[in-house]
Amino acid sequence: MAYSAGNEVNSGVGSPDAILCQKKFMRDMRAYISQCSNLRKVPIGAILADIGREEDALFYNCQTDASDQFENVEWYGLNSYVLCDGNATSMQDASGFQDLQASFQSYNYSVPVLLTEYGCINPSFRGDGEYEAQRTFLQSKWLYSKRFLKNFAGGFVFEYSTELANAKQSSPYPFKKYGAQNFGLGYFSPEDCDDRKIMCTYNPLPNYANLKKAYQSVDVSKELCLDEFTPEKFRTGRTECPKLPNFKQLASFKWKADTLENIPCSSSFANEIKLFLRSNIRKILFGLAFSAIAITLFATCQRFSHNPSGPSQNSNERSPLLSVRLMDRRGIDTF
């Protein structure tokens, strides 16, 4: 489990301060979690689009204030679509994927890097049956090769199901045609299902089987957990911050949260339960007593509605008290 402080808040997108805002948010999250002994230590990172690759990657792993141990991410996510040639059958053919690996090799990154989105769609991929341009996902095998595991900790294919609202204009339901937004490994039917009034059924597309085959061909049993991750010696320090106008000192970015007190750290779940019981014990006991009386009266009324003269001595009917006891142990369905 991990938290991302944001998705695709890149230095070249929107306000010049956007990347400072996201990094400040991530920094404050890390600082708050470190102060709360009862909180699970969940690693905090950020996810960036693959534009301005070098500058953004270096900025999130650097410290503009050397004394601030929380300023860098604990993991870095990149949404990267670099294998778009459907005719590529080997890593040697996939120049974009090779460049990606070479980039992070040169950064000497000291935190785990994930491909938080990958799986380019392109009409050059072959069709399968009625469905056009089905991705091969050969890069899923390469991503878990010894070469790539030196710099990457795996990734996430985009996306589980095609989004009807985004894809329908160029690839009408049920998405047999190639479309620029038809990223799904499958789709839901019927078209108007909502899983409330109309239940949905997932229908895998052919590229789902291609991904499954790629995953089955790799061995991830030796993949490391975060607490086992030890970067090589030349990758243990922070990277140098980019010397560009947008990448200012983090302390230069101010927001209202700087002047507000943090919410107190929550106590452990067990302590919260104890405090709740202690402060509400009278209400709880009253409620239990009232429930027992109500159940007894209900059971009595039920018995007398079936037998106005009451249960006979030789009857197998249960007494109201027995019904209450059985309800306490096994549930209301004992009536």
Side-chain angles (χ1 to χ4, degrees):
M1 181 178 180
Y3 290 141
S4 171
N7 182 60
E8 298 191 346
V9 184
N10 284 67
S11 56
V13 179
S15 166
D17 287 338
I19 195 168
L20 290 173
C21 178
Q22 176 171 255
K23 194 173 185 184
K24 183 73 170 283
F25 178 47
M26 179 276 302
R27 183 254 168 231
D28 286 359
M29 289 173 68
R30 287 194 63 193
Y32 179 75
I33 289 176
S34 72
Q35 296 168 6
C36 299
S37 60
N38 291 318
L39 284 182
R40 178 182 173 186
K41 297 300 184 284
V42 178
I44 310 296
I47 297 173
L48 282 292
D50 194 11
I51 53 176
R53 180 187 294 172
E54 180 173 346
E55 293 81 6
D56 288 340
L58 296 181
F59 183 63
Y60 277 96
N61 193 41
C62 81
Q63 291 173 319
T64 60
D65 179 353
S67 65
D68 189 347
Q69 62 177 316
F70 301 116
E71 191 182 320
N72 61 283
V73 292
E74 294 177 281
W75 58 271
Y76 185 77
L78 189 69
N79 296 343
S80 185
Y81 296 86
V82 291
L83 180 59
C84 298
D85 182 3
N87 297 311
T89 57
S90 68
M91 195 184 301
Q92 286 68 36
D93 300 327
S95 58
F97 215 64
Q98 293 186 71
D99 290 343
L100 178 65
Q101 193 269 338
S103 293
F104 279 88
Q105 179 73 22
S106 70
Y107 303 158
N108 295 333
Y109 229 59
S110 57
V111 297
V113 180
L114 294 163
L115 293 187
T116 37
E117 287 183 19
Y118 74 92
C120 185
I121 53 175
N122 189 283
S124 63
F125 287 102
R126 294 180 181 179
D128 190 327
E130 298 179 284
Y131 295 93
E132 297 179 353
Q134 294 299 294
R135 294 168 289 181
T136 59
F137 288 115
L138 295 176
Q139 71 268 47
S140 298
K141 292 194 297 184
W142 305 335
L143 182 58
Y144 294 97
S145 66
K146 186 176 181 180
R147 171 180 170 179
F148 268 78
L149 287 177
K150 289 182 178 180
N151 303 105
F152 297 93
F156 303 90
V157 167
F158 188 81
E159 61 185 329
Y160 182 65
S161 62
T162 294
E163 299 172 61
L164 177 62
N166 292 339
K168 64 183 180 180
Q169 186 171 357
S170 58
S171 182
Y173 185 92
F175 316 114
K176 294 180 180 181
K177 298 289 184 181
Y178 165 78
Q181 293 295 322
N182 190 5
F183 281 96
L185 293 170
Y187 65 93
F188 289 106
S189 63
E191 185 175 355
D192 59 346
C193 72
D194 57 10
D195 253 345
R196 288 175 294 185
K197 294 182 179 179
I198 303 173
M199 301 308 292
C200 297
T201 299
Y202 183 72
N203 306 279
L205 292 169
N207 68 169
Y208 180 101
N210 295 342
L211 178 63
K212 180 180 178 180
K213 182 180 178 181
Y215 280 157
Q216 288 175 334
S217 68
V218 300
D219 179 12
V220 294
S221 61
K222 295 181 181 179
E223 269 290 270
L224 300 177
C225 295
L226 182 62
D227 58 359
E228 299 171 319
F229 176 77
T230 304
E232 297 167 271
K233 290 183 179 179
F234 64 88
R235 295 174 54 194
T236 53
R238 301 271 73 82
T239 54
E240 185 177 350
C241 293
K243 293 179 174 60
L244 293 170
N246 284 359
F247 302 98
K248 306 171 186 175
Q249 290 281 324
L250 193 60
S252 69
F253 181 78
K254 306 294 183 183
W255 59 0
K256 290 183 180 180
D258 292 333
T259 60
L260 299 175
E261 292 186 12
N262 284 334
I263 298 173
C265 298
S266 62
S267 58
S268 68
F269 181 72
N271 286 337
E272 290 182 3
I273 293 296
K274 289 179 183 177
L275 289 172
F276 174 79
L277 293 174
R278 190 179 301 164
S279 60
N280 294 277
I281 189 65
R282 290 185 179 179
K283 294 179 182 178
I284 294 169
L285 291 176
F286 176 79
L288 289 173
F290 180 82
S291 298
I293 293 171
I295 292 167
T296 301
L297 290 174
F298 172 78
T300 302
C301 291
Q302 288 290 93
R303 296 289 172 252
F304 277 90
S305 65
H306 293 298
N307 186 356
S309 61
S312 64
Q313 293 295 323
N314 297 323
S315 171
N316 290 325
E317 294 180 41
R318 292 174 291 180
S319 68
L321 181 60
L322 181 58
S323 295
V324 173
R325 286 178 179 169
L326 286 175
M327 189 219 68
D328 287 341
R329 293 181 182 177
R330 300 190 337 194
I332 293 176
D333 60 340
T334 58
F335 282 114

